[in-house]
Amino acid sequence: MDEVRIEVQCNSCKGTGVYRGFTERPGFGAVCNDCKGSGKAIIKYIPFTGRKEIGDIKFVYYSGGIPYSKDGADNREKGAISYKEFLMGSMPSHPKE
Ligand SMILES: [Zn+2]
């Protein structure tokens, strides 16, 4: 999917291109640093078209700082599930102490 770009109003200056903070004296405005005075910002995003797969994942778990073994011997006891199960819609359990 191609990246989509949309023009939105600059948040910093509310679309004016001019910024007035508490250092600006009355009657003065500074060119907005974020939009360089244009008043606009551009948001880039890629529309979600479905979860993608990773080729070399075997297990999925919630990160919790506990070690998982490479061969997966006791990973299930710790809450991990196979990547295949994850792809089928299952979710791992939160790590057990
Ligand atoms: Zn701006």
Side-chain angles (χ1 to χ4, degrees):
M1 189 53 120
D2 290 333
E3 184 179 81
V4 177
R5 296 163 58 97
I6 56 168
E7 295 183 351
V8 298
Q9 178 176 293
C10 174
N11 262 336
S12 302
C13 64
K14 306 290 181 242
T16 62
V18 176
Y19 179 80
R20 289 191 297 175
F22 54 86
T23 58
E24 273 67 57
R25 291 182 296 168
F28 288 80
V31 173
C32 177
N33 274 330
D34 290 338
C35 66
K36 312 290 184 247
S38 69
K40 90 183 166 189
I42 294 171
I43 292 176
K44 300 175 193 170
Y45 67 94
I46 297 174
F48 182 67
T49 56
R51 191 165 63 184
K52 295 183 170 37
E53 292 186 26
I54 305 172
D56 57 352
I57 296 277
K58 288 183 180 163
F59 288 95
V60 178
Y61 60 87
Y62 282 106
S63 59
I66 60 170
Y68 288 90
S69 56
K70 222 185 285 180
D71 62 0
D74 62 346
N75 289 351
R76 284 189 180 281
E77 295 165 29
K78 296 173 182 171
I81 60 171
S82 73
Y83 185 47
K84 191 175 178 185
E85 290 170 312
F86 177 77
L87 291 175
M88 297 294 286
S90 295
M91 292 298 285
S93 308
H94 284 281
K96 299 174 181 77
E97 299 300 317

